[in-house]
């Protein structure tokens, strides 16, 4: 069976070509054609030697995940159900803003972290995605846009906020990030990519040493240890007071923040006291707080707080001069909002 072209970072493709006995300067052409020009099945790549063509196309496959289902909502959000070679499926979401899109990628089929409020977490972990399956979601979504919405077909931002805990699949997520930002590949700016984590410490320790300088988002959800552990069980093993000092070291450059996501749940973590403790925890950090009102899903036991409660929480955080936004819910009509994704 052929292996996938999309598993290789630029550097590892060069190594692969060396192993095949092919000129390594051809890596740039291959990357350019397959990523920049979005030309997935080129017959003629100018400048590519016949030897490279023969070697590459007889050894590597360029298959993308298959679209099983596409749902679009009135606000132009698009949700894909993609199917991989072994029949496993994940969801990927395109979120519109000003004629451009943010793509929300999945990193695993299911998730092992078992967070109490998360639809994906109810499934357990089936398996991690390979690099080519992560990059494949991006390319297949981009191809769909080019074909279906040719006037506004650009993906400008990438968030790893779909199914799975990205740092529990560190190697594949890291290589996917390298391909996304490679100047020979998709050329996205590193500050346009955000990886969201529940605070999985083994991955965070590797991030510090190995990850390109993309943005990090931490799912905080409560500043109070016991409450956070009820929501995110791995907080017991990797408590928040160990996670925050570590991730505060990541952002490089003056204008870089750590995004702290705070899921607001009615009468669980939405009180003024919760807001004050959150502000006290984050006041001297590089925090940018993103409040996410809880999105219900079939069988969930919690509710979204009232708009007044959300506003009050926002005011308190803001009064400490911490930048804070409320995430507007997009795509909830088609169960494509945060935490509503599930494989079928
Ligand atoms: N596993 C990673 C990334 C995927 S989840 C993480 O947990 O950070 C992306 C974001 O959606 C996280 O902040 C997560 O807490 C949030 N989320 C999960 N379930 C949700 C729900 N039901 N409503 C709103 N947000 C939810
Ligand atoms: Fe996994 Fe994130 Fe869902 Fe927790 S919130 S179960 S880490 S996907």
């Amino acid at each position: 069976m052929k292996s996938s072209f999309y598993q290789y970072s630029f550097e590892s493709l060069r190594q692969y070509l060396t192993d095949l006995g092919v000129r390594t300067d051809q890596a740039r052409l291959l990357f350019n054609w397959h990523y920049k020009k979005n030309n997935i099945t080129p017959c003629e790549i100018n400048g590519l030697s016949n030897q490279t063509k023969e070697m590459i196309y007889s050894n590597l496959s360029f298959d993308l995940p298959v679209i099983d289902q596409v749902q679009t909502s009135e606000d132009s959000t698009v949700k894909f159900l993609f199917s991989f070679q072994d029949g496993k499926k994940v969801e990927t979401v395109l979120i519109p803003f000003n004629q451009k899109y943010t793509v929300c990628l999945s990193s695993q089929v299911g998730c092992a972290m078992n967070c109490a409020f998360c639809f994906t977490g109810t499934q357990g972990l089936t398996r991690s995605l390979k690099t080519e399956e992560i990059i494949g979601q991006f390319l297949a979504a981009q191809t769909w846009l080019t074909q279906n919405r040719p006037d506004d077909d650009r993906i400008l931002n990438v968030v790893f906020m779909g199914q799975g805990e990205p740092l529990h699949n560190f190697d594949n997520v890291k290589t996917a990030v390298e391909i996304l930002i490679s100047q020979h590949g998709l050329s996205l700016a590193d500050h346009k990519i955000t990886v969201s984590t529940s605070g999985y410490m083994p991955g965070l320790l590797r991030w510090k040493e190995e990850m390109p300088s993309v943005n990090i988002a931490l799912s905080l959800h409560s500043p109070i240890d016991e409450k956070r552990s009820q929501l995110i069980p791995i907080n017991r093993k990797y408590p928040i007071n160990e996670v925050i000092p570590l991730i505060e070291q990541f952002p490089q450059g003056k204008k870089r923040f750590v995004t702290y996501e705070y899921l607001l749940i009615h009468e669980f973590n939405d009180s003024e006291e919760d807001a004050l403790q959150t502000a006290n925890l984050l006041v001297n950090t590089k925090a940018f707080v993103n409040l996410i009102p809880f999105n219900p899903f079939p069988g969930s036991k919690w509710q979204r707080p009232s708009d007044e409660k959300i506003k009050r929480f926002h005011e308190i955080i803001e009064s400490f001069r911490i930048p804070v936004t409320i995430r507007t819910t997009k795509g909830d009509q088609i169960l494509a909002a945060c935490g509503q994704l599930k494989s079928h």
Side-chain angles (χ1 to χ4, degrees):
M1 206 174 85
K2 292 180 180 179
S3 60
S4 175
F5 173 81
Y6 301 114
Q7 71 186 291
Y8 293 111
S9 67
F10 185 66
E11 280 315 313
S12 57
L13 181 66
R14 283 169 62 96
Q15 185 56 50
Y16 179 76
L17 296 181
T18 310
D19 296 346
L20 282 181
V22 172
R23 280 164 46 197
T24 54
D25 62 349
Q26 309 260 291
R28 199 174 43 78
L29 279 172
L30 284 164
F31 246 56
N32 254 279
W33 276 79
H34 288 283
Y35 291 116
K36 278 209 177 49
K37 298 189 200 290
N38 196 16
N39 189 340
I40 315 284
T41 50
C43 340
E44 270 315 311
I45 300 183
N46 297 337
L48 204 63
S49 75
N50 286 338
Q51 185 207 15
T52 312
K53 267 187 211 162
E54 213 176 284
M55 291 303 240
I56 291 295
Y57 294 103
S58 52
N59 282 294
L60 294 180
S61 93
F62 293 82
D63 295 340
L64 293 180
V66 174
I67 300 179
D68 240 47
Q69 249 183 55
V70 189
Q71 285 173 277
T72 53
S73 74
E74 277 159 21
D75 63 17
S76 291
T77 301
V78 190
K79 182 169 84 167
F80 300 96
L81 178 66
F82 284 126
S83 166
F84 300 114
Q85 268 176 355
D86 64 353
K88 298 286 179 272
K89 299 174 206 287
V90 295
E91 292 180 328
T92 305
V93 185
L94 283 170
I95 307 151
F97 68 102
N98 305 333
Q99 260 86 53
K100 307 277 184 290
Y101 290 87
T102 294
V103 68
C104 177
L105 300 178
S106 290
S107 56
Q108 297 181 311
V109 183
C111 183
M113 303 299 140
N114 199 21
C115 299
F117 51 83
C118 173
F119 204 13
T120 308
T122 62
Q123 307 175 81
L125 177 67
T126 304
R127 69 169 175 86
S128 283
L129 296 186
K130 299 181 228 162
T131 303
E132 59 266 35
E133 294 170 328
I134 299 171
I135 288 296
Q137 294 169 63
F138 181 101
L139 294 174
Q142 193 173 60
T143 306
W144 185 91
L145 273 181
T146 312
Q147 288 165 354
N148 293 277
R149 297 185 183 168
D151 296 334
D152 51 347
D153 65 346
R154 290 196 61 200
I155 299 176
L156 278 195
N157 296 290
V158 176
V159 294
F160 283 85
M161 295 187 185
Q163 285 158 264
E165 167 49 53
L167 300 190
H168 190 219
N169 182 18
F170 191 90
D171 288 312
N172 292 302
V173 168
K174 180 186 144 197
T175 309
V177 163
E178 287 169 351
I179 295 169
L180 290 168
I181 65 174
S182 167
Q183 52 167 325
H184 308 296
L186 291 161
S187 285
L188 269 94
D190 53 9
H191 62 274
K192 300 282 188 190
I193 299 174
T194 303
V195 178
S196 176
T197 178
S198 53
Y200 183 67
M201 189 61 104
L204 290 171
L205 290 168
R206 287 190 63 191
W207 181 307
K208 196 167 168 238
E209 305 302 325
E210 299 175 43
M211 189 65 99
S213 62
V214 294
N215 301 319
I216 188 152
L218 178 74
S219 294
L220 177 64
H221 306 342
S222 176
I224 302 157
D225 227 27
E226 186 40 43
K227 260 194 207 184
R228 188 169 190 267
S229 297
Q230 279 181 46
L231 295 174
I232 307 176
I234 63 159
N235 186 65
R236 295 205 169 87
K237 201 162 171 197
Y238 311 118
I240 194 64
N241 61 4
E242 291 174 21
V243 170
I244 292 181
L246 181 63
I247 62 171
E248 282 292 315
Q249 299 171 23
F250 295 171
Q252 289 159 5
K254 274 195 194 131
K255 290 191 190 142
R256 300 293 281 271
F257 292 96
V258 173
T259 301
Y260 289 89
E261 295 162 291
Y262 193 106
L263 182 69
L264 280 166
I265 302 174
H266 177 61
E267 288 191 348
F268 183 81
N269 64 355
D270 62 345
S271 70
E272 295 195 357
E273 182 55 28
D274 288 304
L276 280 170
Q277 292 207 33
T278 303
N280 277 321
L281 181 71
L282 300 179
V283 70
N284 287 319
T285 65
K286 297 173 191 150
F288 183 101
V289 176
N290 199 196
L291 302 174
I292 315 173
F294 177 69
N295 290 316
F297 53 84
S300 61
K301 59 176 181 183
W302 280 305
Q303 278 141 31
R304 173 196 167 100
S306 65
D307 286 350
E308 294 79 75
K309 269 280 188 66
I310 298 172
K311 227 176 109 207
R312 183 72 195 123
F313 203 96
H314 181 271
E315 269 168 18
I316 294 174
I317 305 282
E318 202 169 42
S319 69
F320 283 74
R321 296 179 183 276
I322 299 171
V324 51
T325 55
I326 301 168
R327 187 177 294 173
T328 49
T329 302
K330 289 201 169 155
D332 53 344
Q333 192 198 1
I334 52 170
L335 277 188
C338 290
Q340 294 182 316
L341 304 184
K342 191 173 196 291
S343 302
H344 295 228

